[in-house]
């Protein structure tokens, strides 16, 4: 089968690896990261041009199945994939790693978006470690002057904000490194999206160990009519049932 895999995540790379021997897989990367980790097999870079562009690609390339293994917060891409799949009549499977679960000793403050996270910060702490990525970082300018902020991104945002200290790094991160970072900068509140997975979970363990509260941005909802799995191996089973 010819499979279009919307990727950019560790799960997407694992899906590509698992399918490589049995199917023709084209992994699509949005192109937002300059030096991404590449999956095995064919790779295309850049967007499709919205729903119409994706639908046209599915038709032109005679794609048999569409697998969305994008980041849990890539809500626009997921919505476009669902609509394009419906229009063309191509089966769609959504792969989403489970979200994080607070432990009994955790103090988590759940919010619906980045703007609400920024509003919540002054009531939770005075020195924040913001780990929500470069896109949307500007929302935290609303807390300027009330909260000192350290932001970590894989690549620098444009423009680079003057109201926070910026560090560039790519996970995975070790627990000891996260502990050192939180203590060195005297962080008293952590901000994160509920991305899930183990690659960046060490920051939550470090916050737990130091008794630091966490502001957690909830995941966006997914289309109700789309089939969803949580493990890359389940994609193999799903495709086997469609032969």
């Amino acid at each position: 089968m010819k499979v279009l895999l919307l990727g950019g995540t560790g799960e997407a790379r694992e899906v590509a690896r698992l399918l490589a021997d049995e199917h023709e897989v084209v992994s699509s990367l949005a192109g937002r990261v300059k030096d991404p980790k590449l999956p095995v097999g064919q790779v295309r870079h850049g967007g499709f041009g919205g729903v119409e562009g994706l639908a046209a690609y599915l038709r032109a390339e005679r794609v048999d199945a569409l697998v969305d293994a994008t980041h849990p917060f890539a809500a626009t891409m997921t919505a476009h994939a669902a609509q394009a799949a419906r229009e063309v009549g191509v089966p769609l499977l959504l792969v989403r790693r489970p979200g994080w679960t607070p432990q009994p000793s955790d103090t988590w403050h759940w919010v619906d978006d980045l703007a609400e996270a920024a509003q919540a910060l002054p009531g939770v702490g005075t020195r924040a470690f913001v780990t929500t990525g470069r896109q949307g970082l500007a929302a935290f300018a609303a807390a300027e002057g009330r909260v000192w902020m350290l932001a970590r991104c894989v690549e620098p945002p444009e423009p680079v904000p003057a109201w926070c200290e910026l560090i560039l790094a790519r996970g995975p991160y070790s627990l000891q490194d996260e502990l050192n970072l939180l203590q060195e900068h005297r962080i008293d509140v952590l901000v994160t999206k509920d991305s899930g997975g183990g690659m960046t979970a060490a920051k939550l363990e470090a916050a737990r160990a130091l008794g630091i509260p966490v502001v957690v941005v909830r995941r966006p909802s997914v289309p109700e009519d789309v089939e969803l799995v949580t493990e890359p191996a389940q994609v193999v089973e799903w495709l086997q049932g469609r032969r």
Side-chain angles (χ1 to χ4, degrees):
M1 299 179 70
K2 184 165 186 176
V3 180
L4 176 61
L5 173 59
L6 306 179
T9 62
E11 288 79 18
R13 291 190 292 274
E14 178 63 8
V15 169
R17 185 188 70 80
L18 291 172
L19 300 183
D21 292 337
E22 300 268 342
H23 305 278
E24 180 185 354
V25 181
V26 179
S27 294
S28 177
L29 306 182
R32 291 173 178 170
V33 178
K34 294 180 181 178
D35 186 24
K37 296 180 181 179
L38 296 178
V40 298
Q42 301 178 55
V43 179
R44 71 173 298 280
H45 297 268
F48 291 94
V51 175
E52 292 182 1
L54 177 54
Y57 180 93
L58 294 174
R59 291 189 185 99
E61 298 298 324
R62 298 184 178 181
V63 172
D64 297 305
L66 176 60
V67 177
D68 178 356
T70 53
H71 192 275
F73 282 80
T76 300
M77 186 70 251
T78 294
H80 287 179
Q83 188 173 341
R86 284 189 219 104
E87 290 184 8
V88 180
V90 171
L92 167 65
L93 183 67
L94 183 60
V95 183
R96 283 291 183 271
R97 69 184 83 122
W100 289 313
T101 302
Q103 302 303 305
S105 60
D106 289 334
T107 302
W108 285 14
H109 302 265
W110 290 92
V111 295
D112 290 329
D113 53 35
L114 297 178
E116 190 177 340
Q119 292 174 358
L121 275 183
V124 181
T126 60
R127 296 183 66 84
F129 181 33
V130 181
T131 64
T132 55
R134 67 187 175 96
Q135 291 187 321
L137 183 60
F140 291 92
E144 181 182 7
R146 295 181 293 165
V147 179
W148 180 89
M149 285 173 280
L150 172 69
R152 180 168 66 195
C153 306
V154 175
E155 294 180 354
E158 296 179 0
V160 175
W163 43 264
C164 73
E165 185 172 326
L166 184 68
I167 55 175
L168 302 180
R170 187 195 300 266
Y173 307 102
S174 73
L175 174 57
Q176 189 57 57
D177 286 343
E178 298 292 63
L179 285 168
N180 292 344
L181 186 149
L182 293 176
Q183 291 175 312
E184 176 185 349
H185 293 278
R186 295 180 287 115
I187 299 299
D188 60 9
V189 57
L190 169 67
V191 187
T192 182
K193 294 177 178 177
D194 182 22
S195 300
M199 184 170 287
T200 60
K203 62 188 175 186
L204 296 172
E205 297 178 42
R208 184 176 303 128
L210 298 174
I212 294 173
V214 186
V215 175
V216 186
V217 182
R218 292 185 181 90
R219 292 182 174 192
S221 59
V222 299
E224 294 181 358
D225 60 339
V226 175
E227 189 173 352
L228 185 148
V229 297
T230 59
E231 299 293 338
Q234 292 174 287
V235 180
V236 178
E237 300 171 3
W238 181 74
L239 287 174
Q240 288 174 341
R242 295 192 167 274
R243 284 183 173 178

